Amino acid sequence: MRFLESDEADDPILSVVNLIDLFLVVIGVLMVVIASNPLNPYAHDKVVVVENPGEADMRITIKNGQELQHYESSGQMGEGQGMRAGTTYRLEDGRMIYVPED
């Protein structure tokens, strides 16, 4: 009958339950920190994210308010009607400069 008379303060299961509670609190705090991260690109109202730029599997994600639009590269050249908008120059150090036309 020793098991029935045991003191609750000596129960090892209570220590495990307290550790689980502690881990839940830590996980909750980490989730809040990640959600409020200022480097999160989706934290702003208007965002454009380009994944794999210049590659065959390039993907563009545009966030405008609560709406997300995804564009994926098909690998084909675009064509259509339009007019010249400016000129792009490559400098000796590799930078590109765009000069718009009036």
Side-chain angles (χ1 to χ4, degrees):
M1 291 309 228
R2 234 179 2 163
F3 296 108
L4 295 176
E5 297 174 6
S6 69
D7 194 15
E8 286 187 16
D10 295 336
D11 192 7
I13 297 296
L14 291 177
S15 299
V16 173
V17 170
N18 288 337
L19 282 176
I20 291 172
D21 291 342
L22 177 67
F23 286 133
L24 287 176
V25 169
V26 169
I27 289 171
V29 168
L30 287 176
M31 289 179 69
V32 168
V33 167
I34 290 171
S36 64
N37 184 1
L39 298 177
N40 182 4
Y42 295 107
H44 305 289
D45 286 338
K46 293 185 177 181
V47 177
V48 176
V49 177
V50 179
E51 300 172 26
N52 302 325
E55 301 293 325
D57 60 344
M58 182 173 78
R59 185 173 175 182
I60 300 173
T61 304
I62 300 173
K63 179 185 176 201
N64 191 3
Q66 295 293 324
E67 180 181 344
L68 283 176
Q69 297 176 345
H70 300 282
Y71 299 101
E72 293 190 20
S73 173
S74 64
Q76 299 178 354
M77 292 291 278
E79 62 181 68
Q81 300 294 324
M83 55 188 260
R84 186 176 173 159
T87 308
T88 304
Y89 298 97
R90 182 183 308 271
L91 300 178
E92 291 177 357
D93 62 359
R95 292 184 296 159
M96 303 283 281
I97 295 180
Y98 169 72
V99 179
E101 291 182 358
D102 291 332

